[in-house]
Amino acid sequence: MTSPLLLTGGTGTLGRLALPLLRDAGRKVRVLTRHQHEPADGIEYVTGDVGTGSGVDAAVTGIETIVHCAGGAKGDGDKARNLVQAASRAGVRHLVFISVVGADRIPVVSGVDRAMYGYFAEKRDAERVIAESGVPWTTLRATQFHDWILTLLGQMAKMPVMPLWGGARFQPVDSGEVAARLVELALGEPSGLVPSIAGPRVYGMEELARSYLRAVGKRRLMISPKAPGKAAAAYRAGANLAPECAVGRRTWEDFLATQVRQGL
Ligand SMILES: NC(=O)c1ccc[n+]([C@@H]2O[C@H](COP(=O)([O-])OP(=O)(O)OC[C@H]3O[C@@H](n4cnc5c(N)ncnc54)[C@H](OP(=O)(O)O)[C@@H]3O)[C@@H](O)[C@H]2O)c1
């Protein structure tokens, strides 16, 4: 009988998609979440917070493999720190982490950088914490998910003028494909930093915004000011892209069409 696998972030966009794949692979899954959930078939929910460390020791007890998808705009370094300390104490054999393309290439040196792009520095910190933890690990970097692009454009389109990020490009990837790759990695041996996963095509932000507006039947003016700072410059230079890792198959157009059919 295999021990249950711990999934952090199992209630989020990515984790929710990884969950059934892990169950289909015959694994019992324990999900760590900050909120109460009723147990479901083959899924146990435990309450805890990787940001504060509360409940994390109990969550990792009896666990051999952790898939760490819990993340947010802030504090992912500390989340990783709390998780690996508990994992180390519990003798976890494999920690699989989802990071972001650009974590190692988007410099966050000023307050301006941190305000907009601090997320990348946090991911880099989390990567280092995990790599140096002594717990065997696998890290996969992904480009931005279609879902995230859709949410961002949806928020921008609430304004009369859409404030795009001048010069920014994206290579959106399907979160379902990322979930499938993470699960494959979790079922295998610790592999260190593996090749990134990125979507099939690179798009300018204006092109994404135009396709979004067409899909939702809105008209908006757009502005594309160039943000100051080194992080924004790295973004414009494509540090968030991985054209050499364009293994994702689902296109933005296909994703968007499905979302429109489902009423967005
Ligand atoms: N979205 C993207 O484009 C993208 C691209 C590359 C990498 N990633 C990374 O992929 C991961 C998943 O992203 P996502 O888009 O699925 O995120 P999401 O939808 O925002 O979900 C975040 C998840 O993290 C959990 N979480 C956050 N803070 C937590 C805490 N302090 N303690 C315990 N759980 C916590 C939440 O669980 P509860 O609310 O239930 O506690 C939720 O399940 C993140 O690490 C993200 O950085 C995302």
Side-chain angles (χ1 to χ4, degrees):
M1 185 68 174
T2 53
S3 64
L5 182 150
L6 179 69
L7 177 62
T8 75
T11 55
T13 304
L14 178 65
R16 267 202 311 263
L17 297 169
L19 198 46
L21 302 178
L22 289 165
R23 273 208 337 222
D24 291 350
R27 301 300 300 261
K28 281 200 169 148
V29 186
R30 184 182 296 166
V31 172
L32 174 67
T33 161
R34 291 166 296 179
H35 309 102
Q36 295 285 340
H37 290 267
E38 290 303 314
D41 187 24
I43 307 170
E44 173 195 4
Y45 289 91
V46 296
T47 310
D49 186 329
V50 284
T52 63
S54 121
V56 179
D57 275 312
V60 299
T61 300
I63 294 290
E64 288 186 0
T65 303
I66 300 176
V67 180
H68 180 36
C69 296
K74 289 189 179 154
D76 281 1
D78 283 340
K79 292 184 187 95
R81 221 161 262 117
N82 289 325
L83 186 64
V84 297
Q85 282 167 7
S88 188
R89 286 191 287 270
V92 166
R93 294 191 186 170
H94 189 186
L95 173 56
V96 181
F97 177 53
I98 180 71
S99 186
V100 66
V101 168
D104 57 334
R105 294 191 301 216
I106 298 190
V108 176
V109 291
S110 68
V112 174
D113 294 334
R114 187 157 296 281
M116 270 286 279
Y117 300 98
Y119 166 78
F120 289 90
E122 288 287 342
K123 281 293 193 223
R124 181 68 184 133
D125 186 23
E127 286 186 1
R128 276 206 204 98
V129 165
I130 289 167
E132 292 168 6
S133 67
V135 177
W137 58 280
T138 302
T139 289
L140 172 68
R141 292 178 182 150
T143 51
Q144 282 67 48
F145 304 161
H146 293 134
D147 320 70
W148 182 85
I149 302 271
L150 182 69
T151 303
L152 179 67
L153 294 174
Q155 284 165 355
M156 289 178 165
K158 287 192 180 131
M159 294 174 245
V161 177
M162 286 178 85
L164 304 183
W165 304 351
R169 288 168 294 151
F170 295 94
Q171 193 177 352
V173 67
D174 186 60
S175 44
E177 291 176 3
V178 179
R181 177 70 179 129
L182 262 192
V183 168
E184 182 184 22
L185 293 168
L187 300 176
E189 295 298 315
S191 305
L193 182 64
V194 296
S196 299
I197 180 167
R201 231 196 93 190
V202 174
Y203 300 79
M205 194 170 193
E206 289 83 359
E207 185 183 0
L208 291 168
R210 274 195 301 274
S211 59
Y212 171 81
L213 290 171
R214 253 195 323 275
V216 298
K218 280 188 179 173
R219 291 167 75 87
R220 289 286 180 277
L221 290 174
M222 296 181 213
I223 51 166
S224 297
K226 282 192 180 159
K230 285 196 174 2
Y235 221 90
R236 282 194 294 276
N240 61 317
L241 309 174
E244 69 290 0
C245 299
V247 292
R249 288 187 305 276
R250 190 171 188 207
T251 62
W252 162 253
E253 291 78 8
D254 180 53
F255 168 82
L256 192 57
T258 306
Q259 296 295 313
V260 170
R261 275 198 300 279
Q262 292 173 353
L264 269 180

